[in-house]
């Protein structure tokens, strides 16, 4: 065999050996697996909560305002964007309304409310309606003693309508702002001599802090 032929054979054998080694390396190499894609979790308003609220209350057709503070607890259920819920709250306001022959003060109020709204991720927009019970105390001025005298306390049922916006943060905390219109019809009142009844409606604007669990 000539020198050129032997050279060609050596080169061919070298190429075959190199290809075999590369194939062996490829056969033993494993491509790292890619973790499966996980879509981000959608926020849900479903669950129970409790919290505190504070704001102002002012009677209809009156410039008098009073602080309103209290607490609430409730439950939300979400399906798609739709949210329904129920809430119970108690408030103290010490509000005052002038009536013929005296004035009426509203102090404690309890409310049971239903809620319907739409959840846009962590923001909830809702309307609410329910029933209330409010403690009213009538007061009249005694001209002989020249001072205000208290009458009998009365608890009067009423109706509530309103709406609000709530936004949730991490850690189960959310904040809200809410407006309520409360109608208390036929509140009994006495000026010391004559008993009468008045429709006492008020507006309540409050902010609140809820803790979901």
């Amino acid at each position: 065999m000539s020198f050129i032929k032997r050279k060609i054979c050596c080169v061919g054998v070298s190429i075959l050996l190199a290809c075999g080694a590369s194939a062996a390396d490829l056969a033993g190499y494993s491509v790292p697996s890619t973790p499966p894609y996980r879509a981000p979790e959608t926020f849900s308003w479903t669950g129970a909560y409790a919290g505190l609220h504070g704001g102002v209350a002012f009677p209809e057709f009156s410039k008098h305002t009073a602080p309103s503070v209290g607490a609430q607890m409730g439950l939300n259920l979400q399906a798609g964007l739709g949210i329904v819920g129920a809430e119970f709250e108690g408030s103290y306001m010490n509000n005052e309304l002038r009536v013929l022959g005296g004035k009426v003060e509203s102090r404690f109020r309890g409310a049971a409310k239903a809620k319907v709204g739409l959840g846009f991720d962590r923001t909830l927009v809702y309307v609410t309606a329910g029933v209330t019970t409010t403690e009213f105390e009538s007061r009249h001025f005694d001209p002989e003693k020249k001072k205000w005298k208290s009458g009998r306390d009365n608890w009067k049922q009423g109706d509530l309508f309103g709406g609000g916006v709530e936004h949730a943060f991490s850690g189960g905390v959310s904040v809200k702002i809410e407006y309520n219109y409360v109608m208390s019809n036929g509140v009994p009142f006495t000026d010391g001599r004559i008993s009468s009844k008045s429709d006492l409606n008020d507006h309540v604007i409050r902010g609140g802090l809820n803790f979901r669990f």
Side-chain angles (χ1 to χ4, degrees), residues 58-61 97 181-185 199-203:
F58 49 98
E60 194 171 28
F61 310 119
L97 179 64
Y181 180 63
V182 182
M183 299 179 294
S184 301
N185 298 325
D199 295 340
L200 304 181
N201 305 330
D202 57 45
H203 307 268

Side-chain angles (χ1 to χ4, degrees), residues 53 57 68-69 71 89-93 95 106-111 131-136 155-156 160 180-184 200-204 206:
H53 63 258
S68 173
V69 295
E89 68 177 31
S91 304
Y92 175 78
M93 62 191 72
N95 211 340
S106 56
R107 296 181 177 178
F108 296 98
R109 173 175 291 159
V131 294
T132 63
T133 179
T134 307
E135 181 193 27
F136 292 97
W155 286 88
K156 184 63 179 178
L160 175 150
N180 291 155
Y181 180 63
V182 182
M183 299 179 294
S184 301
L200 304 181
N201 305 330
D202 57 45
H203 307 268
V204 182
R206 63 165 66 107

